[in-house]
Amino acid sequence: MKHLDETFITTQDLMFVGVLNDIKKSKTSLQPVFEAFTNAIEAIKIRTKLDSSFKGEITIKLNSSMNLAESIEFQNLVIEDNGIGFNDEEFKRFNTFKDFTKGYKNLGSGRIQYAHYFNNTEFVSVFKEGNDYFERNFIVSKDSKYLAKNAIVFHRYCKKINQKETGTRITFNTLLDHSNIYNNLNAEQFKEVLIERYVHYFCYNKDSLPKIHIKYYEQSELKGEANITKNDIPKIEKTDFLDLAYSKIPAIGSKIEKTDKSERFTIDSFKIRKELLKSNDLKLVSKGEIIEDSNVSLSSLAENDNIKGFKYLFLISSNYIDERDTNIRGVLNIPDTESFLKNNDIFSNEEIVLEDIQEGVNEKIKTMYPEIEEVKQKHDEQFAKLKEMFLLDEETANDIKISINDTESKILEKFYEAEAKKTANIDASIKASIDKLDSLDTRSENYNELLKQEVDKLVKTIPLQNKTTLTHYVARRKLVLDLFEKILKRKLKTQINNASNYDEALIHNLLFQQQSKDSESSDLWIINEDFIYFKGSSEKQLSKLEINGKRVFKAKFTEEEDKYLLSLGENRKIKRPDVLLFPEEGKCIIIEFKTPDANVADHLTQINLYASLIRNYSEDDFQITTFYGYLIGESIEPNDVMGRVSSFEYSYHLDYLFKPSEKVKGFDGKTDGSIYTEVIKYSTLLERARRRNKIFIDKLNS
């Protein structure tokens, strides 16, 4: 069929506006370039069959220019090959939507992606017919003037020429959407992209590959070039085979069942240095090209795992996969179990579902590489530790899908989302029981029976709701205690990497954030469960201390009071007790933290000073007379403490020292107060808190 010059290629069978809407723009930005590269390879293969001595060549030119912002911006991309060219037969196939007659199982939809991504794609192709050579020029676009003619191809001319070499030059002009992928391409990067995309085809054809040249230009100046040779292609390390059975939906019943029919799948594995392979992966391959989004994954290795410096790529090919390619190259029509059951009218009567491919291939990989299974076991052990650390519910763990690539935070997110849904269902069940009360009639004969049914439901449901909430509460406490222990043993990275001794600040902020007033959100429960319910502050200057918005320390002092408060070169007004809590009117708890290696006996009078300042220099509205002091550290020698302050006594059973109530002297006519003090180790508090929390954990697990 001859095509007239300067004509749009139209069709009576379809509307291209609908075709463009039906065949969506590929999610792979470089898809139109891949289409053209694949066509170049195919054109060279056809010519090679006609002339065994022929040597194919593909040249790719990346052209960039400088925009007004003086940034490099994609201009156009050219792919040239010396293949068979677009003769009348090939051009007819190019213009026939869903053409199945061309070799290599193409469906003739590549031009749709050209139109989706570029304002225009120009073809200049030389072909041989008889003893003569012809040049054909045509353009692909979805510009409005094209669609107005119900066309996306404009045939400019086809003329006889004197050139004696066939081939095609495709130029992609003007991106329709801004793309950094194109803007950032250079020769070496594009070489990597092509090898990654076509590794399967290259591996199987490495001895017969055409010469592939890539050139990168900026402002028409050659800035870089690269070649793809057989030395760039990784070797297939192992090849294995897997036979998978087809599934069908029986005439009666809703569960799919296996048939006697099966299909062979080929697994090619590559073991590549971790520096060269970005991530471990498993991909399906159709017609020699890797499918980017095939909904199968490698379940035994995380993306970033490496074994002795190597990462692994597994490519799965089969006639079954090739036959399931769609009118969008790289999009497969392979159903999962759910879609097969719901839409069996769309698929054939027998299919191999994605789950069977996923499971079968991953099981086969275990036998191919036992060392990979060992890595999988380590991941499983880490997951088990995570479940134990956060008290994650086993039932929920079985209900959610955890990927080996999920980070710990992603796993926790999935858990909490699942538990939130479970809680919502529980709440709905409780509400349903309450709503049913409206329909109960105390006069009916079965009233007691109906009431008992609703009571039984509530009795079962409410504990489930409470257990979820309590699990989060206890799991958080467990995590805090683990962190506390790491600080005491100096195992945090910040402690290992920094020689400065700021352990006290780490402990202080763990128990009660410095400068905070939110004691309810603190972890002072480690010291005493009641402390989180008291109002208070952390490391607040005495002169700025407030309770319920009222200033505690006096705003003005007498001359004598000022003389004392500023004596000996000190300013006692700005003293900062580590923690002050006010359990009720007239009472104050003072807590002081010491760095683990400090001798606590050197600081025995510090809390007494704070008590004295608060007792004597607070506003009259705050007559605080009862104090409780807690001096906490790790380096505590009981004899040293009792030797310096003889009123301290040692409680051997509970491993702490205490000083019975003693006087807090009132100055200038104020009545005396009293203070009870304890000296205790961080490790003792940690052990006590662990025991308390374990009681909750045991109850949850029982």
Side-chain angles (χ1 to χ4, degrees):
M1 175 184 179
K2 300 293 183 181
H3 295 278
L4 297 176
D5 293 349
E6 298 293 320
T7 59
F8 289 98
I9 307 300
T10 61
T11 177
Q12 301 297 319
D13 300 326
L14 73 167
M15 296 294 292
F16 275 103
V17 171
V19 172
L20 289 165
N21 185 60
D22 180 49
I23 301 180
K24 302 297 183 184
K25 182 178 181 180
S26 172
K27 295 179 182 179
T28 304
S29 296
L30 291 171
Q31 186 61 39
V33 180
F34 294 147
E35 295 279 352
F37 185 80
T38 300
N39 289 339
I41 289 176
E42 292 171 354
I44 288 171
K45 288 177 73 173
I46 294 173
R47 187 172 173 185
T48 303
K49 287 182 178 181
L50 300 174
D51 179 4
S52 60
S53 64
F54 165 69
K55 301 296 181 184
E57 290 190 27
I58 299 174
T59 300
I60 300 165
K61 297 178 182 178
L62 303 161
N63 296 297
S64 297
S65 60
M66 193 81 73
N67 61 23
L68 294 176
E70 297 188 353
S71 297
I72 297 299
E73 191 172 73
F74 171 82
Q75 185 176 4
N76 63 41
L77 188 150
V78 181
I79 297 181
E80 298 175 338
D81 69 73
N82 61 347
I84 194 172
F86 274 90
N87 56 30
D88 284 347
E89 182 181 1
E90 293 299 319
F91 189 55
K92 178 184 177 182
R93 286 172 177 157
F94 182 84
N95 286 289
T96 304
F97 182 57
K98 295 189 178 181
D99 175 63
F100 293 90
T101 62
K102 187 178 180 182
Y104 314 105
K105 302 174 183 174
N106 280 330
L107 300 175
S109 62
R111 60 195 164 133
I112 306 298
Q113 295 305 322
Y114 301 156
H116 274 317
Y117 270 93
F118 293 92
N119 181 56
N120 69 79
T121 303
E122 182 180 10
F123 291 73
V124 179
S125 186
V126 176
F127 61 92
K128 184 180 180 182
E129 191 170 287
N131 294 319
D132 298 320
Y133 287 82
F134 296 84
E135 181 179 274
R136 185 188 304 280
N137 182 291
F138 59 95
I139 295 173
V140 176
S141 175
K142 64 175 181 180
D143 187 85
S144 57
K145 63 183 179 183
Y146 284 69
L147 295 181
K149 298 289 187 179
N150 190 30
I152 61 170
V153 176
F154 180 69
H155 187 254
R156 296 177 70 181
Y157 64 81
C158 181
K159 60 185 180 182
K160 186 176 179 180
I161 60 172
N162 293 324
Q163 179 180 327
K164 301 298 182 182
E165 181 66 35
T166 63
T168 301
R169 182 178 71 249
I170 305 175
T171 305
F172 296 99
N173 294 303
T174 313
L175 275 167
L176 292 177
D177 296 310
H178 179 76
S179 172
N180 281 327
I181 291 178
Y182 283 88
N183 289 337
N184 294 330
L185 280 180
N186 59 38
E188 285 296 333
Q189 288 172 336
F190 196 65
K191 174 181 176 178
E192 290 180 13
V193 167
L194 285 178
I195 292 175
E196 184 177 355
R197 176 78 179 199
Y198 291 91
V199 63
H200 190 269
Y201 177 84
F202 287 167
C203 284
Y204 279 110
N205 298 276
K206 65 189 307 179
D207 293 323
S208 59
L209 283 180
K211 292 181 180 179
I212 302 173
H213 314 280
I214 305 168
K215 298 182 178 182
Y216 172 67
Y217 296 85
E218 286 182 10
Q219 301 288 91
S220 301
E221 181 182 350
L222 182 64
K223 290 289 188 178
E225 52 186 324
N227 298 313
I228 297 178
T229 68
K230 63 185 298 183
N231 294 329
D232 296 310
I233 312 305
K235 295 180 180 179
I236 297 175
E237 206 218 12
K238 292 183 181 181
T239 297
D240 209 334
F241 303 96
L242 172 69
D243 293 320
L244 291 175
Y246 280 77
S247 296
K248 70 175 183 179
I249 302 174
I252 300 175
S254 59
K255 290 186 178 180
I256 62 176
E257 59 184 34
K258 296 291 186 290
T259 70
D260 294 333
K261 180 182 176 183
S262 66
E263 195 82 39
R264 172 150 287 195
F265 288 74
T266 302
I267 304 173
D268 293 317
S269 67
F270 300 81
K271 189 176 177 181
I272 303 171
R273 296 294 308 176
K274 64 180 182 180
E275 297 82 9
L276 301 178
L277 186 63
K278 294 178 182 177
S279 60
N280 298 299
D281 214 341
L282 185 156
K283 295 285 190 182
L284 300 187
V285 174
S286 175
K287 309 166 194 173
E289 282 190 54
I290 289 176
I291 307 301
E292 291 298 325
D293 301 308
S294 55
N295 293 321
V296 295
S297 60
L298 188 59
S299 62
S300 49
L301 275 178
E303 291 177 353
N304 295 320
D305 283 337
N306 74 85
I307 301 175
K308 295 181 180 180
F310 290 93
K311 289 185 178 178
Y312 295 78
L313 172 65
F314 297 91
L315 300 182
I316 318 304
S317 56
S318 170
N319 284 332
Y320 177 82
I321 298 173
D322 290 347
E323 291 165 0
R324 271 26 179 214
D325 214 336
T326 65
N327 57 352
I328 304 176
R329 193 199 301 271
V331 176
L332 303 178
N333 192 28
I334 301 177
D336 57 21
T337 301
E338 183 179 0
S339 59
F340 187 36
L341 285 169
K342 286 184 177 179
N343 306 295
N344 57 306
D345 55 323
I346 297 176
F347 303 103
S348 66
N349 292 328
E350 297 179 337
E351 297 283 351
I352 300 174
V353 295
L354 273 172
E355 288 91 341
D356 287 346
I357 299 174
Q358 163 88 13
E359 183 178 348
V361 168
N362 277 286
E363 284 299 315
K364 177 63 73 171
I365 287 171
K366 291 180 183 180
T367 64
M368 293 173 70
Y369 292 98
E371 61 268 33
I372 290 180
E373 178 61 15
E374 293 176 9
V375 175
K376 173 68 163 56
Q377 290 174 359
K378 288 182 180 179
H379 282 292
D380 291 341
E381 290 171 5
Q382 290 172 347
F383 179 44
K385 288 180 180 178
L386 194 66
K387 286 197 294 184
E388 181 184 356
M389 179 180 292
F390 290 94
L391 303 178
L392 301 178
D393 183 67
E394 191 68 37
E395 181 182 344
T396 305
N398 294 330
D399 290 342
I400 61 177
K401 293 182 179 179
I402 301 295
S403 165
I404 197 166
N405 288 307
D406 286 339
T407 61
E408 290 184 348
S409 60
K410 185 63 179 179
I411 291 172
L412 292 173
E413 180 183 326
K414 287 183 176 180
F415 261 98
Y416 295 147
E417 285 179 357
E419 288 188 350
K421 291 179 182 178
K422 191 186 295 184
T423 301
N425 290 334
I426 291 169
D427 288 344
S429 178
I430 292 172
K431 184 178 184 302
S433 292
I434 294 173
D435 289 345
K436 281 191 176 181
L437 294 177
D438 294 339
S439 61
L440 291 181
D441 187 343
T442 57
R443 299 170 300 173
S444 64
E445 292 182 0
N446 62 345
Y447 159 70
N448 285 318
E449 182 181 343
L450 293 173
L451 180 61
K452 184 178 183 301
Q453 289 177 5
E454 298 309 318
V455 170
D456 289 344
K457 286 181 185 178
L458 281 174
V459 168
K460 290 179 180 178
T461 303
I462 291 177
L464 285 174
Q465 188 182 48
N466 291 342
K467 182 176 179 179
T468 300
T469 304
L470 185 58
T471 298
H472 285 208
Y473 179 78
V474 174
R476 185 195 176 280
R477 287 193 166 198
K478 184 179 185 300
L479 187 65
V480 170
L481 292 175
D482 289 344
L483 179 59
F484 191 15
E485 182 178 31
K486 288 180 182 292
I487 294 173
L488 293 181
K489 292 183 177 180
R490 295 191 57 79
K491 287 187 175 182
L492 296 187
K493 288 181 180 179
T494 187
Q495 294 172 295
I496 296 170
N497 298 333
N498 196 316
S500 299
N501 192 342
Y502 51 94
D503 298 348
E504 180 184 340
L506 290 170
I507 294 171
H508 190 144
N509 281 285
L510 178 135
L511 294 169
F512 193 0
Q513 283 287 317
Q514 292 173 303
Q515 305 300 320
S516 172
K517 295 190 294 184
D518 186 10
S519 54
E520 187 175 349
S521 298
S522 76
D523 287 293
L524 290 172
W525 56 269
I526 293 175
I527 304 172
N528 188 303
E529 288 286 350
D530 292 337
F531 285 1
I532 60 174
Y533 304 114
F534 302 152
K535 294 177 181 178
S537 62
S538 174
E539 208 176 53
K540 194 79 170 177
Q541 281 187 16
L542 290 175
S543 59
K544 297 180 180 179
L545 184 63
E546 292 183 350
I547 300 177
N548 296 328
K550 293 183 179 180
R551 187 187 183 100
V552 176
F553 232 46
K554 288 181 180 180
K556 293 183 179 181
F557 297 97
T558 65
E559 186 177 341
E560 284 298 315
E561 288 173 334
D562 253 338
K563 182 179 179 181
Y564 162 67
L565 292 170
L566 301 174
S567 64
L568 302 178
E570 288 190 61
N571 184 353
R572 296 168 179 80
K573 300 176 187 178
I574 61 172
K575 292 287 187 182
R576 295 175 182 266
D578 285 342
V579 175
L580 292 176
L581 300 172
F582 301 93
E584 58 184 77
E585 188 175 341
K587 294 184 178 180
C588 177
I589 297 170
I590 305 171
I591 304 173
E592 276 298 306
F593 305 121
K594 297 303 169 189
T595 189
D597 58 0
N599 187 347
V600 173
D602 292 337
H603 305 276
L604 294 175
T605 61
Q606 188 175 9
I607 288 177
N608 291 64
L609 175 62
Y610 293 148
S612 176
L613 292 172
I614 294 170
R615 174 71 197 99
N616 289 288
Y617 301 102
S618 296
E619 293 284 0
D620 291 339
D621 290 345
F622 297 100
Q623 291 299 316
I624 300 172
T625 58
T626 304
F627 297 88
Y628 304 89
Y630 295 86
L631 185 59
I632 308 173
E634 189 62 22
S635 298
I636 299 175
E637 171 52 60
N639 290 342
D640 208 2
V641 173
M642 293 185 289
R644 297 192 186 198
V645 179
S646 59
S647 53
F648 270 105
E649 299 179 20
Y650 184 52
S651 173
Y652 292 93
H653 180 63
L654 298 175
D655 191 25
Y656 76 106
L657 294 108
F658 66 95
K659 182 172 60 174
S661 181
E662 68 175 4
K663 184 190 299 182
V664 177
K665 182 66 178 176
F667 302 148
D668 303 322
K670 284 188 177 290
T671 58
D672 295 335
S674 64
I675 183 169
Y676 166 86
T677 310
E678 289 185 7
V679 177
I680 192 167
K681 291 182 179 181
Y682 292 121
S683 54
T684 300
L685 292 174
L686 176 62
E687 181 58 29
R688 289 182 187 176
R690 280 199 190 283
R691 289 177 185 173
R692 295 199 304 274
N693 213 46
K694 186 176 183 300
I695 294 173
F696 286 116
I697 293 173
D698 291 343
K699 289 290 185 183
L700 287 171
N701 293 331
S702 61

